[in-house]
CSV table of all heavy atoms in Angstrom, one decimal:
chain,number,residue,atom,x,y,z
A,1,MET,N,0.3,5.5,6.8
A,1,MET,CA,0.0,6.9,7.0
A,1,MET,C,-1.4,7.0,7.6
A,1,MET,O,-2.3,6.3,7.2
A,1,MET,CB,0.1,7.7,5.7
A,1,MET,CG,-0.5,9.0,5.7
A,1,MET,SD,-0.8,9.8,4.2
A,1,MET,CE,0.9,10.2,3.7
A,2,ILE,N,-1.5,8.0,8.5
A,2,ILE,CA,-2.9,8.2,9.1
A,2,ILE,C,-3.3,9.6,8.8
A,2,ILE,O,-2.5,10.6,8.9
A,2,ILE,CB,-2.8,8.0,10.6
A,2,ILE,CG1,-2.5,6.6,10.9
A,2,ILE,CG2,-4.1,8.5,11.3
A,2,ILE,CD1,-2.4,6.2,12.4
A,3,ILE,N,-4.5,9.8,8.3
A,3,ILE,CA,-5.0,11.1,8.0
A,3,ILE,C,-6.3,11.3,8.8
A,3,ILE,O,-7.0,10.4,9.1
A,3,ILE,CB,-5.2,11.4,6.5
A,3,ILE,CG1,-6.2,10.3,5.9
A,3,ILE,CG2,-3.9,11.3,5.7
A,3,ILE,CD1,-6.6,10.6,4.5
A,4,ARG,N,-6.6,12.6,9.1
A,4,ARG,CA,-7.8,13.0,9.9
A,4,ARG,C,-8.5,14.0,9.1
A,4,ARG,O,-7.9,15.0,8.6
A,4,ARG,CB,-7.4,13.5,11.2
A,4,ARG,CG,-6.8,12.5,12.1
A,4,ARG,CD,-6.2,13.1,13.4
A,4,ARG,NE,-5.6,12.1,14.2
A,4,ARG,CZ,-4.3,11.6,14.0
A,4,ARG,NH1,-3.6,12.0,13.1
A,4,ARG,NH2,-3.9,10.7,14.8
A,5,MET,N,-9.8,13.9,9.0
A,5,MET,CA,-10.7,14.8,8.2
A,5,MET,C,-12.0,15.1,8.9
A,5,MET,O,-12.4,14.4,9.8
A,5,MET,CB,-11.0,14.1,6.9
A,5,MET,CG,-9.8,13.9,6.0
A,5,MET,SD,-10.3,13.0,4.6
A,5,MET,CE,-10.1,11.4,5.2
A,6,LEU,N,-12.6,16.2,8.6
A,6,LEU,CA,-13.9,16.6,9.1
A,6,LEU,C,-14.9,15.6,8.5
A,6,LEU,O,-14.8,15.2,7.3
A,6,LEU,CB,-14.3,18.0,8.7
A,6,LEU,CG,-13.4,19.1,9.3
A,6,LEU,CD1,-13.7,20.4,8.7
A,6,LEU,CD2,-13.6,19.1,10.8
A,7,PRO,N,-15.9,15.2,9.3
A,7,PRO,CA,-16.8,14.1,8.9
A,7,PRO,C,-17.7,14.5,7.7
A,7,PRO,O,-18.1,13.6,6.9
A,7,PRO,CB,-17.7,13.9,10.1
A,7,PRO,CG,-17.0,14.5,11.2
A,7,PRO,CD,-16.1,15.5,10.7
A,8,ASP,N,-17.9,15.8,7.4
A,8,ASP,CA,-18.8,16.2,6.3
A,8,ASP,C,-18.1,16.5,5.0
A,8,ASP,O,-18.6,17.1,4.1
A,8,ASP,CB,-19.7,17.4,6.7
A,8,ASP,CG,-18.9,18.6,7.1
A,8,ASP,OD1,-17.7,18.5,7.3
A,8,ASP,OD2,-19.5,19.7,7.3
A,9,SER,N,-16.8,16.1,4.9
A,9,SER,CA,-16.0,16.5,3.7
A,9,SER,C,-16.3,15.4,2.6
A,9,SER,O,-16.6,14.3,2.9
A,9,SER,CB,-14.5,16.6,4.0
A,9,SER,OG,-13.9,15.3,4.0
A,10,LYS,N,-16.1,15.8,1.4
A,10,LYS,CA,-16.3,14.9,0.3
A,10,LYS,C,-15.2,13.9,0.2
A,10,LYS,O,-15.4,12.8,-0.3
A,10,LYS,CB,-16.3,15.7,-1.0
A,10,LYS,CG,-17.6,16.5,-1.2
A,10,LYS,CD,-17.7,17.1,-2.5
A,10,LYS,CE,-19.0,17.9,-2.6
A,10,LYS,NZ,-19.4,18.2,-3.9
A,11,ALA,N,-14.0,14.2,0.8
A,11,ALA,CA,-12.9,13.2,0.9
A,11,ALA,C,-13.3,12.0,1.7
A,11,ALA,O,-12.9,10.9,1.4
A,11,ALA,CB,-11.7,13.9,1.4
A,12,VAL,N,-14.1,12.2,2.7
A,12,VAL,CA,-14.6,11.1,3.6
A,12,VAL,C,-15.5,10.1,2.7
A,12,VAL,O,-15.4,8.9,2.8
A,12,VAL,CB,-15.3,11.6,4.8
A,12,VAL,CG1,-16.0,10.4,5.6
A,12,VAL,CG2,-14.4,12.3,5.7
A,13,GLU,N,-16.3,10.7,1.9
A,13,GLU,CA,-17.2,9.9,1.0
A,13,GLU,C,-16.3,9.0,0.1
A,13,GLU,O,-16.5,7.8,-0.1
A,13,GLU,CB,-18.1,10.7,0.2
A,13,GLU,CG,-19.2,11.4,1.0
A,13,GLU,CD,-20.0,12.3,0.2
A,13,GLU,OE1,-20.3,12.0,-1.0
A,13,GLU,OE2,-20.5,13.3,0.7
A,14,ALA,N,-15.3,9.6,-0.5
A,14,ALA,CA,-14.4,8.9,-1.4
A,14,ALA,C,-13.6,7.8,-0.6
A,14,ALA,O,-13.4,6.7,-1.1
A,14,ALA,CB,-13.4,9.9,-2.0
A,15,LEU,N,-13.2,8.1,0.6
A,15,LEU,CA,-12.5,7.1,1.4
A,15,LEU,C,-13.4,5.9,1.7
A,15,LEU,O,-12.9,4.8,1.6
A,15,LEU,CB,-12.1,7.7,2.8
A,15,LEU,CG,-10.7,8.5,2.8
A,15,LEU,CD1,-10.6,9.2,4.1
A,15,LEU,CD2,-9.6,7.5,2.6
A,16,CYS,N,-14.6,6.2,2.1
A,16,CYS,CA,-15.5,5.1,2.4
A,16,CYS,C,-15.8,4.2,1.2
A,16,CYS,O,-15.8,3.0,1.3
A,16,CYS,CB,-16.9,5.6,2.9
A,16,CYS,SG,-16.7,6.4,4.5
A,17,ILE,N,-16.0,4.8,0.0
A,17,ILE,CA,-16.2,4.0,-1.2
A,17,ILE,C,-15.0,3.2,-1.5
A,17,ILE,O,-15.1,2.0,-1.8
A,17,ILE,CB,-16.5,5.0,-2.4
A,17,ILE,CG1,-17.9,5.6,-2.2
A,17,ILE,CG2,-16.4,4.2,-3.7
A,17,ILE,CD1,-18.2,6.7,-3.1
A,18,CYS,N,-13.8,3.8,-1.4
A,18,CYS,CA,-12.5,3.0,-1.7
A,18,CYS,C,-12.3,1.9,-0.6
A,18,CYS,O,-11.9,0.8,-1.0
A,18,CYS,CB,-11.3,4.0,-1.7
A,18,CYS,SG,-11.3,5.1,-3.0
A,19,TYR,N,-12.7,2.1,0.6
A,19,TYR,CA,-12.6,1.1,1.6
A,19,TYR,C,-13.5,0.0,1.4
A,19,TYR,O,-13.1,-1.2,1.5
A,19,TYR,CB,-12.8,1.8,3.0
A,19,TYR,CG,-12.7,0.8,4.2
A,19,TYR,CD1,-11.5,0.3,4.5
A,19,TYR,CD2,-13.8,0.4,4.9
A,19,TYR,CE1,-11.4,-0.6,5.6
A,19,TYR,CE2,-13.7,-0.5,5.9
A,19,TYR,CZ,-12.5,-1.0,6.3
A,19,TYR,OH,-12.4,-1.9,7.3
A,20,GLU,N,-14.8,0.3,1.1
A,20,GLU,CA,-15.8,-0.8,0.9
A,20,GLU,C,-15.5,-1.6,-0.3
A,20,GLU,O,-15.8,-2.8,-0.3
A,20,GLU,CB,-17.2,-0.1,0.8
A,20,GLU,CG,-17.7,0.5,2.2
A,20,GLU,CD,-18.9,1.3,2.0
A,20,GLU,OE1,-19.4,1.4,0.9
A,20,GLU,OE2,-19.4,1.8,3.0
A,21,LYS,N,-15.1,-0.9,-1.4
A,21,LYS,CA,-14.9,-1.6,-2.7
A,21,LYS,C,-13.5,-2.1,-3.0
A,21,LYS,O,-13.2,-2.5,-4.1
A,21,LYS,CB,-15.5,-0.8,-3.8
A,21,LYS,CG,-16.9,-0.5,-3.7
A,21,LYS,CD,-17.5,0.2,-4.8
A,21,LYS,CE,-19.0,0.4,-4.7
A,21,LYS,NZ,-19.7,0.8,-5.9
A,22,LYS,N,-12.6,-1.9,-1.9
A,22,LYS,CA,-11.2,-2.3,-2.1
A,22,LYS,C,-10.6,-1.6,-3.3
A,22,LYS,O,-9.8,-2.2,-4.0
A,22,LYS,CB,-11.0,-3.8,-2.2
A,22,LYS,CG,-11.7,-4.6,-1.1
A,22,LYS,CD,-11.0,-4.4,0.2
A,22,LYS,CE,-11.7,-5.3,1.3
A,22,LYS,NZ,-11.6,-4.8,2.6
A,23,ARG,N,-10.8,-0.3,-3.4
A,23,ARG,CA,-10.3,0.5,-4.5
A,23,ARG,C,-9.1,1.3,-4.0
A,23,ARG,O,-8.9,1.5,-2.8
A,23,ARG,CB,-11.3,1.4,-5.1
A,23,ARG,CG,-12.6,0.8,-5.6
A,23,ARG,CD,-12.4,0.2,-6.9
A,23,ARG,NE,-13.5,-0.6,-7.3
A,23,ARG,CZ,-14.2,-0.4,-8.4
A,23,ARG,NH1,-13.8,0.5,-9.3
A,23,ARG,NH2,-15.2,-1.2,-8.7
A,24,VAL,N,-8.3,1.9,-4.9
A,24,VAL,CA,-7.2,2.7,-4.6
A,24,VAL,C,-7.7,4.1,-4.4
A,24,VAL,O,-8.5,4.7,-5.1
A,24,VAL,CB,-6.1,2.7,-5.7
A,24,VAL,CG1,-5.0,3.7,-5.5
A,24,VAL,CG2,-5.6,1.3,-5.9
A,25,TYR,N,-7.2,4.7,-3.3
A,25,TYR,CA,-7.5,6.1,-2.9
A,25,TYR,C,-6.2,6.9,-3.2
A,25,TYR,O,-5.1,6.6,-2.8
A,25,TYR,CB,-7.9,6.2,-1.4
A,25,TYR,CG,-8.1,7.6,-1.0
A,25,TYR,CD1,-9.3,8.3,-1.3
A,25,TYR,CD2,-7.2,8.3,-0.2
A,25,TYR,CE1,-9.5,9.6,-0.8
A,25,TYR,CE2,-7.4,9.6,0.2
A,25,TYR,CZ,-8.6,10.2,-0.1
A,25,TYR,OH,-8.8,11.5,0.4
A,26,HIS,N,-6.4,8.1,-3.8
A,26,HIS,CA,-5.2,8.9,-4.1
A,26,HIS,C,-5.2,10.1,-3.2
A,26,HIS,O,-6.2,10.9,-3.1
A,26,HIS,CB,-5.3,9.5,-5.6
A,26,HIS,CG,-5.0,8.4,-6.6
A,26,HIS,ND1,-5.9,7.5,-7.0
A,26,HIS,CD2,-3.8,8.1,-7.2
A,26,HIS,CE1,-5.4,6.7,-7.9
A,26,HIS,NE2,-4.1,7.0,-8.0
A,27,HIS,N,-4.1,10.3,-2.4
A,27,HIS,CA,-3.9,11.4,-1.5
A,27,HIS,C,-2.7,12.1,-1.9
A,27,HIS,O,-1.6,11.5,-1.9
A,27,HIS,CB,-3.8,10.8,-0.1
A,27,HIS,CG,-3.6,11.9,1.0
A,27,HIS,ND1,-4.5,12.8,1.3
A,27,HIS,CD2,-2.5,12.1,1.7
A,27,HIS,CE1,-4.0,13.6,2.2
A,27,HIS,NE2,-2.8,13.2,2.5
A,28,GLN,N,-2.8,13.3,-2.3
A,28,GLN,CA,-1.7,14.2,-2.8
A,28,GLN,C,-1.0,13.5,-3.9
A,28,GLN,O,0.2,13.5,-4.0
A,28,GLN,CB,-0.8,14.5,-1.6
A,28,GLN,CG,-1.4,15.3,-0.5
A,28,GLN,CD,-0.5,15.7,0.6
A,28,GLN,OE1,0.6,15.1,0.8
A,28,GLN,NE2,-0.9,16.7,1.4
A,29,GLY,N,-1.8,12.9,-4.8
A,29,GLY,CA,-1.2,12.3,-6.0
A,29,GLY,C,-0.6,10.9,-5.9
A,29,GLY,O,0.0,10.4,-6.8
A,30,ILE,N,-0.6,10.4,-4.7
A,30,ILE,CA,0.0,9.1,-4.4
A,30,ILE,C,-1.1,8.1,-4.1
A,30,ILE,O,-2.0,8.3,-3.3
A,30,ILE,CB,1.0,9.2,-3.2
A,30,ILE,CG1,2.1,10.2,-3.5
A,30,ILE,CG2,1.6,7.8,-2.9
A,30,ILE,CD1,2.9,10.6,-2.3
A,31,PRO,N,-1.0,6.9,-4.8
A,31,PRO,CA,-2.1,5.9,-4.5
A,31,PRO,C,-1.9,5.1,-3.2
A,31,PRO,O,-0.8,4.7,-2.9
A,31,PRO,CB,-1.9,4.9,-5.7
A,31,PRO,CG,-0.5,5.1,-6.1
A,31,PRO,CD,-0.1,6.5,-5.8
A,32,TYR,N,-3.0,4.9,-2.5
A,32,TYR,CA,-3.0,4.2,-1.2
A,32,TYR,C,-4.2,3.3,-1.2
A,32,TYR,O,-5.2,3.5,-1.8
A,32,TYR,CB,-3.1,5.2,-0.1
A,32,TYR,CG,-2.0,6.1,0.2
A,32,TYR,CD1,-2.0,7.4,-0.4
A,32,TYR,CD2,-0.9,5.7,0.9
A,32,TYR,CE1,-0.9,8.2,-0.1
A,32,TYR,CE2,0.2,6.5,1.2
A,32,TYR,CZ,0.2,7.8,0.6
A,32,TYR,OH,1.2,8.6,0.9
A,33,PHE,N,-4.0,2.2,-0.4
A,33,PHE,CA,-5.2,1.4,0.0
A,33,PHE,C,-5.6,1.8,1.4
A,33,PHE,O,-4.8,2.1,2.3
A,33,PHE,CB,-4.8,-0.1,0.1
A,33,PHE,CG,-4.5,-0.8,-1.2
A,33,PHE,CD1,-3.3,-1.3,-1.6
A,33,PHE,CD2,-5.5,-0.9,-2.2
A,33,PHE,CE1,-3.1,-1.9,-2.8
A,33,PHE,CE2,-5.3,-1.5,-3.4
A,33,PHE,CZ,-4.1,-2.0,-3.7
A,34,VAL,N,-6.9,1.9,1.6
A,34,VAL,CA,-7.5,2.3,2.8
A,34,VAL,C,-7.7,1.1,3.7
A,34,VAL,O,-8.4,0.2,3.3
A,34,VAL,CB,-8.9,3.0,2.6
A,34,VAL,CG1,-9.4,3.5,4.0
A,34,VAL,CG2,-8.8,4.2,1.7
A,35,THR,N,-7.0,1.0,4.8
A,35,THR,CA,-7.0,-0.3,5.6
A,35,THR,C,-8.0,-0.1,6.8
A,35,THR,O,-8.4,-1.2,7.3
A,35,THR,CB,-5.6,-0.6,6.1
A,35,THR,OG1,-5.1,0.5,6.8
A,35,THR,CG2,-4.7,-1.0,5.0
A,36,SER,N,-8.3,1.1,7.3
A,36,SER,CA,-9.2,1.2,8.3
A,36,SER,C,-9.8,2.6,8.3
A,36,SER,O,-9.1,3.6,8.0
A,36,SER,CB,-8.6,0.9,9.7
A,36,SER,OG,-7.7,1.8,10.1
A,37,ILE,N,-11.0,2.7,8.8
A,37,ILE,CA,-11.7,4.0,9.0
A,37,ILE,C,-12.4,4.0,10.4
A,37,ILE,O,-13.1,3.1,10.7
A,37,ILE,CB,-12.7,4.3,7.9
A,37,ILE,CG1,-12.1,4.4,6.5
A,37,ILE,CG2,-13.4,5.6,8.2
A,37,ILE,CD1,-13.1,4.5,5.4
A,38,THR,N,-12.1,5.0,11.2
A,38,THR,CA,-12.7,5.2,12.5
A,38,THR,C,-13.1,6.6,12.7
A,38,THR,O,-12.7,7.5,12.0
A,38,THR,CB,-11.8,4.7,13.6
A,38,THR,OG1,-10.6,5.5,13.6
A,38,THR,CG2,-11.4,3.2,13.5
A,39,VAL,N,-13.9,6.8,13.7
A,39,VAL,CA,-14.3,8.2,14.1
A,39,VAL,C,-13.8,8.5,15.5
A,39,VAL,O,-13.9,7.7,16.4
A,39,VAL,CB,-15.9,8.3,14.1
A,39,VAL,CG1,-16.3,9.7,14.6
A,39,VAL,CG2,-16.5,8.0,12.8
A,40,ALA,N,-13.1,9.6,15.6
A,40,ALA,CA,-12.5,10.0,16.9
A,40,ALA,C,-13.2,11.3,17.3
A,40,ALA,O,-13.5,12.2,16.5
A,40,ALA,CB,-11.0,10.3,16.7
A,41,GLY,N,-13.6,11.3,18.6
A,41,GLY,CA,-14.2,12.5,19.1
A,41,GLY,C,-15.7,12.5,18.9
A,41,GLY,O,-16.3,11.6,18.3
A,42,SER,N,-16.3,13.6,19.3
A,42,SER,CA,-17.8,13.8,19.1
A,42,SER,C,-18.1,15.3,19.0
A,42,SER,O,-17.3,16.1,19.4
A,42,SER,CB,-18.6,13.2,20.2
A,42,SER,OG,-18.3,13.9,21.4
A,43,GLY,N,-19.2,15.6,18.4
A,43,GLY,CA,-19.6,17.0,18.2
A,43,GLY,C,-18.7,17.7,17.3
A,43,GLY,O,-18.3,17.2,16.3
A,44,ARG,N,-18.4,18.9,17.7
A,44,ARG,CA,-17.5,19.8,16.9
A,44,ARG,C,-16.1,19.2,16.8
A,44,ARG,O,-15.3,19.6,15.9
A,44,ARG,CB,-17.5,21.2,17.4
A,44,ARG,CG,-18.8,21.9,17.3
A,44,ARG,CD,-18.7,23.3,17.9
A,44,ARG,NE,-17.6,24.0,17.3
A,44,ARG,CZ,-17.7,25.2,16.8
A,44,ARG,NH1,-18.9,25.8,16.9
A,44,ARG,NH2,-16.7,25.9,16.4
A,45,ASP,N,-15.7,18.4,17.7
A,45,ASP,CA,-14.3,17.8,17.7
A,45,ASP,C,-14.2,16.5,17.0
A,45,ASP,O,-13.2,15.9,16.9
A,45,ASP,CB,-13.9,17.6,19.2
A,45,ASP,CG,-13.7,18.9,19.9
A,45,ASP,OD1,-13.4,19.9,19.3
A,45,ASP,OD2,-13.9,18.9,21.2
A,46,ALA,N,-15.3,16.1,16.3
A,46,ALA,CA,-15.3,14.8,15.6
A,46,ALA,C,-14.4,14.9,14.4
A,46,ALA,O,-14.4,15.8,13.7
A,46,ALA,CB,-16.7,14.4,15.2
A,47,ARG,N,-13.7,13.8,14.2
A,47,ARG,CA,-12.8,13.6,13.0
A,47,ARG,C,-12.9,12.2,12.5
A,47,ARG,O,-13.0,11.3,13.3
A,47,ARG,CB,-11.4,14.0,13.3
A,47,ARG,CG,-11.1,15.4,13.8
A,47,ARG,CD,-11.3,16.4,12.6
A,47,ARG,NE,-11.0,17.7,13.0
A,47,ARG,CZ,-11.9,18.6,13.5
A,47,ARG,NH1,-13.1,18.3,13.7
A,47,ARG,NH2,-11.5,19.8,13.8
A,48,VAL,N,-12.8,12.0,11.2
A,48,VAL,CA,-12.7,10.7,10.6
A,48,VAL,C,-11.2,10.4,10.5
A,48,VAL,O,-10.5,11.2,9.9
A,48,VAL,CB,-13.4,10.6,9.3
A,48,VAL,CG1,-13.2,9.3,8.6
A,48,VAL,CG2,-14.9,10.9,9.5
A,49,VAL,N,-10.8,9.3,11.0
A,49,VAL,CA,-9.4,8.9,11.0
A,49,VAL,C,-9.3,7.7,10.1
A,49,VAL,O,-9.9,6.7,10.2
A,49,VAL,CB,-8.9,8.5,12.4
A,49,VAL,CG1,-7.4,8.1,12.4
A,49,VAL,CG2,-9.1,9.7,13.3
A,50,ALA,N,-8.4,7.8,9.0
A,50,ALA,CA,-8.2,6.8,8.1
A,50,ALA,C,-6.8,6.3,8.1
A,50,ALA,O,-5.9,7.2,8.1
A,50,ALA,CB,-8.7,7.2,6.7
A,51,GLU,N,-6.5,5.0,8.0
A,51,GLU,CA,-5.2,4.5,7.9
A,51,GLU,C,-5.0,4.1,6.4
A,51,GLU,O,-5.8,3.4,5.9
A,51,GLU,CB,-5.0,3.3,8.8
A,51,GLU,CG,-3.5,2.8,8.8
A,51,GLU,CD,-3.3,1.7,9.7
A,51,GLU,OE1,-4.1,1.5,10.6
A,51,GLU,OE2,-2.3,1.0,9.6
A,52,LEU,N,-3.9,4.7,5.8
A,52,LEU,CA,-3.6,4.4,4.4
A,52,LEU,C,-2.3,3.7,4.3
A,52,LEU,O,-1.3,4.0,5.0
A,52,LEU,CB,-3.5,5.7,3.6
A,52,LEU,CG,-4.7,6.7,3.8
A,52,LEU,CD1,-4.4,8.0,3.0
A,52,LEU,CD2,-6.0,6.0,3.3
A,53,ASN,N,-2.2,2.7,3.4
A,53,ASN,CA,-1.0,2.0,3.1
A,53,ASN,C,-0.7,2.2,1.6
A,53,ASN,O,-1.6,2.1,0.8
A,53,ASN,CB,-1.1,0.5,3.4
A,53,ASN,CG,-1.1,0.2,4.9
A,53,ASN,OD1,-0.5,1.0,5.6
A,53,ASN,ND2,-1.8,-0.8,5.3
A,54,PRO,N,0.6,2.5,1.3
A,54,PRO,CA,0.9,2.8,-0.1
A,54,PRO,C,0.7,1.5,-1.0
A,54,PRO,O,0.9,0.4,-0.5
A,54,PRO,CB,2.4,3.2,-0.1
A,54,PRO,CG,2.9,2.8,1.3
A,54,PRO,CD,1.7,2.7,2.2
A,55,VAL,N,0.3,1.7,-2.2
A,55,VAL,CA,0.1,0.6,-3.1
A,55,VAL,C,1.4,0.0,-3.5
A,55,VAL,O,1.6,-1.2,-3.5
A,55,VAL,CB,-0.6,1.1,-4.4
A,55,VAL,CG1,-0.6,0.1,-5.5
A,55,VAL,CG2,-2.0,1.6,-4.1
A,56,TRP,N,2.4,0.9,-3.7
A,56,TRP,CA,3.8,0.4,-4.0
A,56,TRP,C,4.6,0.6,-2.8
A,56,TRP,O,4.6,1.6,-2.1
A,56,TRP,CB,4.3,1.2,-5.2
A,56,TRP,CG,3.4,1.2,-6.4
A,56,TRP,CD1,2.6,2.2,-6.8
A,56,TRP,CD2,3.2,0.1,-7.3
A,56,TRP,NE1,2.0,1.8,-7.9
A,56,TRP,CE2,2.3,0.5,-8.2
A,56,TRP,CE3,3.8,-1.2,-7.3
A,56,TRP,CZ2,1.9,-0.3,-9.3
A,56,TRP,CZ3,3.3,-2.0,-8.4
A,56,TRP,CH2,2.4,-1.6,-9.3
A,57,ASN,N,5.5,-0.4,-2.5
A,57,ASN,CA,6.4,-0.4,-1.4
A,57,ASN,C,7.5,0.6,-1.8
A,57,ASN,O,8.3,0.3,-2.8
A,57,ASN,CB,6.9,-1.8,-1.1
A,57,ASN,CG,7.7,-1.8,0.1
A,57,ASN,OD1,8.1,-0.7,0.7
A,57,ASN,ND2,8.1,-2.9,0.6
A,58,GLU,N,7.7,1.7,-1.1
A,58,GLU,CA,8.7,2.7,-1.5
A,58,GLU,C,10.1,2.2,-1.2
A,58,GLU,O,11.0,2.8,-1.6
A,58,GLU,CB,8.4,4.0,-0.8
A,58,GLU,CG,7.1,4.6,-1.2
A,58,GLU,CD,6.8,5.9,-0.5
A,58,GLU,OE1,7.6,6.4,0.3
A,58,GLU,OE2,5.7,6.4,-0.6
A,59,GLU,N,10.3,1.1,-0.4
A,59,GLU,CA,11.6,0.7,-0.1
A,59,GLU,C,12.3,0.0,-1.3
A,59,GLU,O,13.5,-0.2,-1.3
A,59,GLU,CB,11.5,-0.3,1.1
A,59,GLU,CG,11.1,0.4,2.4
A,59,GLU,CD,10.9,-0.6,3.5
A,59,GLU,OE1,11.3,-1.7,3.4
A,59,GLU,OE2,10.4,-0.2,4.5
A,60,VAL,N,11.5,-0.5,-2.2
A,60,VAL,CA,12.0,-1.2,-3.4
A,60,VAL,C,12.5,-0.2,-4.4
A,60,VAL,O,11.8,0.7,-4.8
A,60,VAL,CB,10.9,-2.1,-4.0
A,60,VAL,CG1,11.5,-2.7,-5.3
A,60,VAL,CG2,10.5,-3.1,-3.1
A,61,VAL,N,13.8,-0.3,-4.7
A,61,VAL,CA,14.4,0.7,-5.7
A,61,VAL,C,14.9,-0.1,-6.9
A,61,VAL,O,15.7,-1.1,-6.7
A,61,VAL,CB,15.6,1.5,-5.0
A,61,VAL,CG1,16.2,2.4,-6.1
A,61,VAL,CG2,15.1,2.2,-3.8
A,62,LEU,N,14.4,0.2,-8.0
A,62,LEU,CA,14.9,-0.5,-9.2
A,62,LEU,C,16.0,0.2,-9.9
A,62,LEU,O,16.2,1.3,-10.0
A,62,LEU,CB,13.7,-0.6,-10.2
A,62,LEU,CG,12.5,-1.4,-9.7
A,62,LEU,CD1,11.4,-1.4,-10.7
A,62,LEU,CD2,12.9,-2.8,-9.3
């Protein structure tokens, strides 16, 4: 999953911490690993783009 956020949001700080320390990030109550963080655009159009992978593979059904 790819999410885009404004650079000055608190969610970006949380994403960076989770990315650097290999911690789980929760987005809408679902745990994800942050696999990459990039910046797209510049100035007012700048966005932080993060790629998230689910902690649990949703294809596995018990």
Side-chain angles (χ1 to χ4, degrees):
M1 165 194 286
I2 295 177
I3 59 174
R4 293 171 182 81
M5 294 172 272
L6 293 171
D8 60 348
S9 86
K10 292 189 178 194
V12 171
E13 292 178 32
L15 274 170
C16 291
I17 291 169
C18 291
Y19 179 70
E20 291 171 358
K21 298 187 178 197
K22 308 291 184 206
R23 304 280 172 125
V24 173
Y25 176 78
H26 288 82
H27 177 68
Q28 296 180 343
I30 301 171
Y32 292 96
F33 287 117
V34 183
T35 56
S36 70
I37 298 176
T38 57
V39 176
S42 63
R44 292 179 55 129
D45 295 330
R47 297 292 182 267
V48 173
V49 180
E51 184 176 344
L52 308 176
N53 287 330
V55 172
W56 304 104
N57 187 352
E58 295 179 9
E59 296 175 9
V60 176
V61 178
L62 300 176

